[in-house]
Amino acid sequence: MNKRRKIDWLLITAYLLLSLIGLLMIYSASSYRLMTGGNSPSALFQRQLLFLLFSWVMIFVIQKTRVEILLSKKLAIGLLAFGLLTLILAHLPFFGVSVNGAQRWVSIFGFQFQPSEIVNVGMILYLANYFKEKRPFHDLKQPMILLFLCCGLILMQPKVAGVMILLFLAFIMITTVQVPVKVTLFLFVGLILSLFLLGAAILFLGHQGWLPHFFMHVYNRIQLVSDPFSDPYGQGFQMIHSYYALFNGGLKGLGLGNSITKKGFLPVAETDFIFSILVEELGLIVGVFVIGLLFLIFLRLFIRSATAADDQSGLILLGTATLLLLQTSINIASILGLMPMTGVPLPFISYGGSSYFILSFAFGICLKLERRGANEVIQAA
């Protein structure tokens, strides 16, 4: 009975519900496109299901693994080093896979994944291990070098949103342990203002024709946010039809499988625009429910990070919650037209086996650390 109480069933239930809703929506969003292309309508559903089952087995194994192994320096550095290596491989002809002009994917033995997703979790484990003991502020040389090396390689893909996520992630974790609250708030406001200034600078340089061609897609996407209807059959096509999908859904939706926009208007709708299809078919009520489940996970992890058994565990919980919050916020903001489209998936919902697996890996570690903290509280009581 005590063991059952030590498991956070609320966290597990939210995770499983999101996974199953995502699996259902992947089938619905992709089946029409696959069927009209002469493929099995359940092909992506079956592939994602395999990753779900594999990830759930991995989470179970993590719960049986000693905490010392999960918190070890070898695991943290090993995962980050693997992420760095694959970031480099992404730019090599034999391993790198180009999609829509971006070199963000790596193919190893026929398995494709985005290295930046591995780097995010690797950086969380590395920073948590590095700052498990209080360090002087000037002793940040090693993490800063690794951070900017990762950001540089991700920017070369190019993936500006990936750089933003990694910088915000590192900023939150470093300032939590190294900087007083007042200074943190000042730096955070400065970071937000810097991003706005950067966006303004990109718009100015792009308009004047001074922006390097490599980053012109960033200029186009920022410009598109202000008025997607200015190019309804070109750059604004997907965003406009994302609006239509959200409008069509209303409160209750058109019914599962009855989406109109997935039929050629939102290509590859099971990835970036899966939330638009979800709202169109199941309605705003279910959409708010899904966001509520995601925020439940964020809040639980944030709260547990404050009562963790040690600083390293607390930083891992904090970093994972921040990563999930950033990805969710960017994905939802993109389809609502509040920021440029970035290609950031909606956690546990969007199609992508590697993304689901690496986030489930981080979630499994958090679940283990959260249980460990709960055990110590019970023993102390």
Side-chain angles (χ1 to χ4, degrees):
M1 189 67 175
N2 287 337
K3 288 185 178 180
R4 290 184 179 179
R5 288 176 182 170
K6 295 171 190 174
I7 298 174
D8 194 332
W9 291 107
L10 197 58
L11 263 181
I12 294 175
T13 301
Y15 166 77
L16 291 177
L17 279 174
L18 286 169
S19 302
L20 294 175
I21 292 172
L23 189 65
L24 179 66
M25 292 312 304
I26 286 168
Y27 176 77
S28 179
S30 64
S31 57
Y32 178 84
R33 178 174 60 84
L34 292 172
M35 188 168 54
T36 55
N39 300 307
S40 169
S42 62
L44 296 187
F45 169 86
Q46 293 173 4
R47 192 178 303 173
Q48 188 76 0
L49 177 60
L50 287 176
F51 275 101
L52 259 68
L53 296 176
F54 189 45
S55 298
W56 295 349
V57 170
M58 175 193 62
I59 290 176
F60 177 79
V61 171
I62 288 174
Q63 304 315 300
K64 300 298 181 182
T65 304
R66 289 189 296 115
V67 172
E68 292 76 18
I69 296 176
L70 301 175
L71 297 181
S72 67
K73 188 175 182 179
K74 289 182 179 179
L75 177 62
I77 293 180
L79 187 60
L80 184 58
F82 178 71
L84 270 169
L85 175 62
T86 51
L87 279 176
I88 296 171
L89 292 178
H91 298 283
L92 300 181
F94 184 74
F95 296 99
V97 178
S98 179
V99 179
N100 296 325
Q103 201 84 2
R104 301 174 183 173
W105 296 81
V106 167
S107 178
I108 299 178
F109 302 116
F111 177 66
Q112 292 187 9
F113 59 91
Q114 290 197 57
S116 59
E117 295 169 347
I118 299 174
V119 168
N120 288 335
V121 177
M123 186 63 70
I124 291 172
L125 297 182
Y126 167 75
L127 290 177
N129 186 276
Y130 189 82
F131 291 112
K132 64 182 177 182
E133 298 177 359
K134 192 69 176 177
R135 294 176 179 268
F137 189 73
H138 60 79
D139 192 15
L140 296 178
K141 184 177 180 181
Q142 180 179 320
M144 287 297 101
I145 291 174
L146 287 172
L147 175 63
F148 287 112
L149 177 60
C150 292
C151 288
L153 290 170
I154 294 172
L155 194 61
M156 287 172 61
Q157 294 181 346
K159 189 176 183 182
V160 177
V163 174
M164 288 174 56
I165 288 174
L166 193 57
L167 285 176
F168 265 101
L169 186 60
F171 173 84
I172 294 297
M173 294 185 69
I174 292 173
T175 54
T176 297
V177 293
Q178 292 291 113
V179 182
V181 175
K182 291 182 179 179
V183 180
T184 299
L185 291 174
F186 175 78
L187 292 174
F188 182 75
V189 172
L191 183 60
I192 296 296
L193 290 175
S194 298
L195 288 174
F196 277 109
L197 290 173
L198 177 62
I202 290 174
L203 281 174
F204 175 76
L205 293 173
H207 182 71
Q208 298 295 325
W210 297 341
L211 193 69
H213 179 73
F214 191 67
F215 293 105
M216 279 303 293
H217 74 288
V218 180
Y219 165 74
N220 292 331
R221 289 183 178 182
I222 293 177
Q223 189 181 42
L224 186 67
V225 171
S226 60
D227 185 14
F229 290 90
S230 62
D231 188 13
Y233 300 105
Q235 295 288 333
F237 185 82
Q238 294 187 70
M239 187 170 289
I240 289 171
H241 286 283
S242 174
Y243 293 161
Y244 289 157
L246 295 171
F247 176 79
N248 291 340
L251 284 177
K252 298 181 180 179
L254 301 177
L256 185 64
N258 293 330
S259 167
I260 299 170
T261 53
K262 71 181 180 183
K263 298 177 179 179
F265 298 103
L266 282 178
V268 200
E270 66 273 8
T271 54
D272 301 347
F273 293 97
I274 194 166
F275 188 76
S276 299
I277 303 299
L278 185 149
V279 171
E280 185 179 19
E281 295 190 348
L282 303 181
L284 183 61
I285 295 174
V286 176
V288 171
F289 175 70
V290 167
I291 294 176
L293 289 175
L294 285 165
F295 269 88
L296 173 62
I297 293 178
F298 311 150
L299 291 176
R300 296 287 286 187
L301 293 182
F302 276 127
I303 292 170
R304 299 302 185 189
S305 69
T307 58
D310 54 78
D311 289 343
Q312 186 178 0
S313 300
L315 282 172
I316 292 175
L317 290 163
L318 174 66
T320 303
T322 302
L323 175 60
L324 293 172
L325 178 58
L326 285 171
Q327 288 195 353
T328 300
S329 301
I330 291 174
N331 180 273
I332 300 298
S334 296
I335 66 170
L336 293 178
L338 301 177
M339 65 180 296
M341 288 305 304
T342 57
V344 174
L346 187 61
F348 309 125
I349 298 290
S350 294
Y351 172 74
S354 61
S355 174
Y356 183 89
F357 178 81
I358 192 66
L359 288 179
S360 295
F361 174 74
F363 177 81
I365 292 178
C366 288
L367 201 59
K368 176 70 173 182
L369 297 177
E370 191 271 341
R371 287 180 62 195
R372 178 197 183 203
N375 290 348
E376 295 193 1
V377 170
I378 291 173
Q379 291 173 3

